[in-house]
Each structure stands twice: as structure tokens, then as C-alpha cells.
Amino acid sequence: MDDDPHLLPRLIERLEVRPMGSKEARELAEKEHYMHRRPQVSYAFGLYQDDAVVGVVTFGTPASRHLQMGACPSDPSLVIELNRAWVADHMPPNTGSWFISRTLKLIPPRIVVSYADTVQGHLGYQYRALNFRYAGWTDMERKTPRYDYIPADPTIHTRDAFRNGYKVKVRRRPKVKYWTATGTKTERRQLYDLSGWPSLDWHKLPPPTEHVHHPLTKEKQDAQHR
């Protein structure tokens, strides 16, 4: 990747964000994203440089209904997940943030959740740059850590490994939780009020890279709220 900080502004006039078909987006995400799995897609966008695809962002219904209910108890259907974001390695710094910020303006009013995977060394600096709200980490209310079963067959998802055969189990590391809202200023304000996820202070409660039990009472959430 070219580290010239002035390169992106010079490239912007050659970059275009366009809606992308679900099939193409799933295939591209499977090929290029580190997870190498096809995501569920409700909205997909491609980043094009002179008509060549150099990025993809997809949004879809979260796999967990419990997640949706937690993020918006009164109307879980308003919750979607930013589940894949990929930009070609040769693109300059901040291209990913620039790309995502434009896709958020192209989807209807929704509460958008996303996760930074600490296993991959991600803590979510890109989401912070995009002014996403920080909601802590997965399993922070749980006293004991969870374990993942690593399948013997790499094509099998970890959640199916226990039933289909696994080669090892590993302690699950937390993912950092972020969320934002889309729509007009008024619509975003309404969605912020509906959200069941907290808005925490990263500096007061930094995310861990190993399981940490930290239950959030209503009082703690209020104290942490920005």
C-alpha cells in the first residue's frame, strides 16, 4: 500500500461508489476478505477505480436474533450488520473509511452494528474514525470465557464443528462492538434513542484482547456515556 497521505485526495475523482449485486458481492467478499466466507447480503456496494473493482462493503441481517433484539428492543428489524469491508492493498491509507462513510449514506434509516476482531489484531480504529459509537466487547457480561471448536474440515463453520468433528478447542477472544445510525439527522437521533446498546468511552473502558468480565449496570452505562 502506498503510504503517501496525499494520494487519496488525488485519487478521489477517479473513485466511484456504486451498488453491487448480491451474488457478485458475496463472491468477491469470499475471495478477498480474510474470513473467506460468503456473507448474508441485504445491501452491497463496490468501490471502483476507473471501472476496476478495488473494494466491497456489505450489510446484512445479523445471524443472531438476540443481537438484533439487544441493539433495538422495540424493533429488531431495524438492525443490520456491516459484515464485510475490503479494500485492495494497493489503495492509499484511509480509503476504507472514505468508502464506508459513503455507503452509510446510501442505505435507509437503520441501526448499523459491526465488530472488530481482536484475533486479527483489530480494535476498531476505523470505526472510531467514522464516529461509530463504542459498545464494549462480546461476552463482557459473562463471568467465564467461551470456547470455540476448530473444525477438522476448514469448510465447516466453527458453530457446527462440535457436531461434525473438531481438531481442537480454543478460548474465544472478544470482538469489539460498534454501532451507528443512518438516515437524516432527525432519523438518526430517533434511532439513537431506540438503541439498546450503550455508548461507552473508549478511554475509560478500553477493549481487551482476552476475555474480561465487566458487567454494565444502567448506572455504569450512564457514567460512561459520552
Side-chain angles (χ1 to χ4, degrees):
M1 179 182 290
D2 195 319
D3 291 328
D4 180 356
H6 304 293
L7 183 56
L8 181 57
R10 297 200 301 267
L11 277 180
I12 283 176
E13 63 183 25
R14 295 170 53 197
L15 296 177
E16 185 179 1
V17 178
R18 305 179 202 159
M20 178 181 280
S22 297
K23 182 176 184 295
E24 181 183 4
R26 286 194 296 267
E27 291 175 350
L28 186 60
E30 181 182 31
K31 177 183 177 183
E32 301 291 355
H33 192 268
Y34 72 85
M35 293 181 72
H36 297 297
R37 293 200 304 268
R38 295 191 181 193
Q40 197 282 334
V41 175
S42 300
Y43 307 96
F45 302 93
L47 179 64
Y48 297 83
Q49 180 183 359
D50 301 330
D51 287 329
V53 181
V54 293
V56 64
V57 166
T58 64
F59 301 85
T61 302
S64 168
R65 180 69 173 176
H66 177 74
L67 183 159
Q68 287 182 287
M69 294 177 66
C72 188
S74 63
D75 191 351
S77 66
L78 289 173
V79 180
I80 61 172
E81 182 179 1
L82 195 173
N83 51 24
R84 297 291 189 279
W86 165 79
V87 170
D89 289 341
H90 69 271
M91 298 301 290
N94 303 321
T95 301
S97 297
W98 182 90
F99 179 24
I100 292 172
S101 69
R102 278 143 186 83
T103 67
L104 292 170
K105 296 175 181 178
L106 297 174
I107 61 177
R110 294 290 187 273
I111 292 174
V112 179
V113 301
S114 198
Y115 296 86
D117 190 350
T118 60
V119 173
Q120 300 295 322
H122 303 160
L123 291 177
Y125 294 108
Q126 180 169 255
Y127 297 121
R128 295 177 66 191
L130 288 164
N131 292 318
F132 273 60
R133 299 188 177 205
Y134 166 57
W137 56 91
T138 54
D139 289 336
M140 65 191 300
E141 302 277 347
R142 183 184 172 93
K143 291 184 178 180
T144 58
R146 297 179 191 268
Y147 286 84
D148 285 321
Y149 295 89
I150 306 304
D153 181 348
T155 65
I156 295 176
H157 194 282
T158 53
R159 62 173 168 259
D160 299 317
F162 186 79
R163 294 190 300 271
N164 294 284
Y166 63 93
K167 59 182 179 180
V168 68
K169 74 173 186 177
V170 296
R171 184 167 171 165
R172 183 179 300 179
R173 293 173 62 179
K175 293 184 179 181
V176 191
K177 300 165 58 176
Y178 293 91
W179 66 282
T180 190
T182 59
T184 65
K185 185 175 182 179
T186 298
E187 290 167 334
R188 293 197 304 273
R189 187 182 302 113
Q190 292 171 343
L191 289 169
Y192 289 142
D193 290 341
L194 290 176
S195 179
W197 276 18
S199 179
L200 307 176
D201 188 323
W202 168 288
H203 299 287
K204 292 181 180 178
L205 190 64
T209 56
E210 296 291 343
H211 175 77
V212 173
H213 176 228
H214 190 101
L216 285 175
T217 64
K218 183 64 167 60
E219 291 74 21
K220 286 183 180 178
Q221 291 186 32
D222 291 341
Q224 290 283 344
H225 198 286
R226 298 179 183 181

